[in-house]
Amino acid sequence: MIEQWPATPDEAVALQLRMAPLVDPHPPAGFAPRTAAGLDVAYDEGSDRLFAAVVVLDVASLDPVDQVVVPGVTDFPYVPGLFAFRELPSLLTALERLTVSPDLLVCDGQGVAHPRRFGLASHLGVVTGLPSIGVAKTPMGHYDPPGPERGAWSPLLDDGEVVGRALRTQREVKPLFVSIGHRVDLDTACAQVLRLASRYRQPETTRRADRLCRDALTSGA
């Protein structure tokens, strides 16, 4: 479901406020994803060009199942809290070109850890109907550092509300900031991120998608 695409920041904020109540914080019954898709975007500095990548991995083996990278352009301004309106159209195009439908979307960005509780991961989840998770490198809110061990976490708070978790994916490595996107709960989101980040700080889905879109940008493909 996509309403008329906003042309201004005010229209984009209004759309987020209308759609935020559609976020479902509960996973489907018996949710056990076999495939997970990483989504990322690389921008060409100094222009409106970008490349959007989606990489689908087998969750058990982390082997690739499918991948797509598409060129795109964005004419929406760079406004904090409205990144989805720069990236979403190209990411949706990439998702549509996959030969498989992933069980889970893992976004390099925020879900409900967002001023209007509707970041990129939530927007993608609601539009596609797929369970989605936001995994960000920087926090949107306040947190106390979690313990040093892998799997340690602390609440991520905004205006006193828990909007996510600071999650340590590797021992004594900077935490990531996990929030639900759509059709997933926070315990499940963190468990899936840890499963996908078996060796590095970032989930393998994100690492692969980042590499794919950056390689495309470098080669001009």
Side-chain angles (χ1 to χ4, degrees):
M1 54 169 297
I2 301 182
E3 298 191 30
Q4 183 174 356
W5 199 242
T8 68
D10 285 345
E11 291 176 1
V13 168
L15 179 59
Q16 287 178 330
L17 291 172
R18 287 198 301 273
M19 295 185 71
L22 301 177
V23 169
D24 182 356
H26 306 288
F31 184 58
R34 296 182 178 180
T35 58
L39 302 96
D40 203 3
V41 172
Y43 292 93
D44 184 16
E45 292 187 18
S47 80
D48 59 0
R49 296 175 60 246
L50 59 81
F51 284 89
V54 179
V55 177
V56 182
L57 302 183
D58 177 277
V59 171
S61 66
L62 299 183
D63 290 335
V65 175
D66 196 9
Q67 64 181 40
V68 173
V69 59
V70 298
V73 295
T74 181
D75 57 5
F76 198 87
Y78 181 91
V79 179
L82 299 178
F83 296 143
F85 297 94
R86 294 171 61 83
E87 301 184 357
L88 192 74
S90 296
L91 287 171
L92 288 173
T93 297
L95 282 168
E96 289 168 357
R97 296 183 184 178
L98 290 172
T99 60
V100 298
S101 178
D103 298 324
L104 176 67
L105 304 181
V106 182
C107 302
D108 182 30
Q110 310 287 1
V112 300
H114 181 274
R116 288 166 293 280
R117 307 297 183 256
F118 200 71
L120 174 65
S122 294
H123 207 147
L124 271 168
V126 169
V127 167
T128 63
L130 296 171
S132 60
I133 298 171
V135 186
K137 296 182 284 293
T138 56
M140 201 300 297
H142 305 282
Y143 71 100
D144 293 324
E149 68 276 8
R150 170 176 157 85
W153 61 270
S154 60
L156 180 64
L157 303 172
D158 183 52
D159 290 333
E161 179 182 353
V162 175
V163 295
R165 289 178 184 170
L167 178 66
R168 194 87 66 183
T169 54
Q170 299 297 329
R171 181 173 176 80
E172 296 183 344
V173 170
K174 291 180 180 179
L176 293 174
F177 301 94
V178 180
S179 59
I180 69 170
H182 182 55
R183 300 187 71 201
V184 69
D185 61 75
L186 199 47
D187 285 341
T188 300
C190 288
Q192 292 301 322
V193 170
L194 286 171
R195 191 175 184 187
L196 294 166
S198 58
R199 296 180 59 191
Y200 302 101
R201 179 191 180 214
Q202 290 274 17
E204 194 62 22
T205 40
T206 302
R207 285 168 42 82
R208 302 277 186 95
D210 175 76
R211 186 181 311 139
L212 182 61
C213 61
R214 289 183 185 278
D215 286 350
L217 183 64
T218 300
S219 65

